[in-house]
Amino acid sequence: RIINLNMSAERSQLSEPLLNSSTQNTNDAETKLGESPPDFWSKINVFSKISFWWTMPLLRLGKKRPLKDEDMWPVRPEDDTELQVDTLKAHWLQEEQKDGNGNYPVIWAIYKSYYSKLLWMGFFDGIAAALPFVSPLAIQGIGFYLQDDSSPTYVGLAW
């Protein structure tokens, strides 16, 4: 039940590369993706974010050769692990001090740290779950509209 949120000692172990030197058979003269500008994430447009088109340079490079750590783009500042751990730790300690006896469930600290992201994710997940049921009804409504010549135009536009 005890959770250690002080992960500074473990962070050094998490930075090992995925490919060791024996599996890297590429030389440094090969194509390199290059450094991304510090404002890389702010320059990506909405279409690119939705379609994941911004990953294409990295995917092309990965097709040519195994990717290295220096090929990857930096993590968005708001997604940085240290920031996320600090946020969770602050909510955890705040609620644990309120409780006093140390029996505070960790799920509430997670909820308080990320509730806005969880609500948006739940909203879009609800839409994705409803679409398979709504789509046949919409197709049926369009079919009824097309069969009935006396239907007003707004009914067809509504479907």
Side-chain angles (χ1 to χ4, degrees):
R1 202 139 219 261
I2 297 174
I3 296 176
N4 182 8
L5 292 176
N6 186 4
M7 297 174 44
S8 59
E10 292 90 9
R11 285 192 182 131
S12 62
Q13 296 172 357
L14 298 176
S15 64
E16 294 181 21
L18 296 175
L19 298 173
N20 60 26
S21 59
S22 64
T23 60
Q24 293 179 354
N25 56 4
T26 61
N27 57 23
D28 292 333
E30 287 183 333
T31 309
K32 187 175 179 183
L33 187 63
E35 297 295 323
S36 64
D39 58 348
F40 170 75
W41 295 107
S42 64
K43 291 191 175 188
I44 299 174
N45 63 28
V46 173
F47 174 75
S48 182
K49 287 179 184 177
I50 292 172
S51 65
F52 290 93
W53 192 256
W54 59 272
T55 61
M56 289 307 292
L58 189 63
L59 294 174
R60 281 190 208 108
L61 182 61
K63 184 179 178 184
K64 292 179 184 178
R65 64 171 173 81
L67 296 174
K68 300 177 184 175
D69 284 342
E70 55 268 6
D71 296 330
M72 303 299 171
W73 292 303
V75 176
R76 294 186 315 169
E78 61 266 17
D79 291 336
D80 185 45
T81 306
E82 290 180 19
L83 176 68
Q84 299 299 326
V85 168
D86 292 342
T87 303
L88 180 61
K89 188 175 184 178
H91 283 104
W92 174 266
L93 293 175
Q94 178 185 14
E95 295 301 323
E96 205 170 52
Q97 286 175 355
K98 282 184 195 176
D99 188 34
N101 60 5
N103 291 332
Y104 185 73
V106 72
I107 192 72
W108 288 111
I110 293 171
Y111 174 76
K112 288 185 178 185
S113 298
Y114 309 110
Y115 72 91
S116 63
K117 291 181 182 181
L118 290 170
L119 289 175
W120 279 110
M121 187 174 58
F123 173 74
F124 288 117
D125 192 37
I127 290 174
L131 283 177
F133 298 106
V134 174
S135 297
L137 296 174
I139 292 171
Q140 181 185 21
I142 292 170
F144 287 152
Y145 169 74
L146 293 174
Q147 289 176 352
D148 187 11
D149 293 334
S150 64
S151 294
T153 306
Y154 71 86
V155 173
L157 294 175
W159 286 111

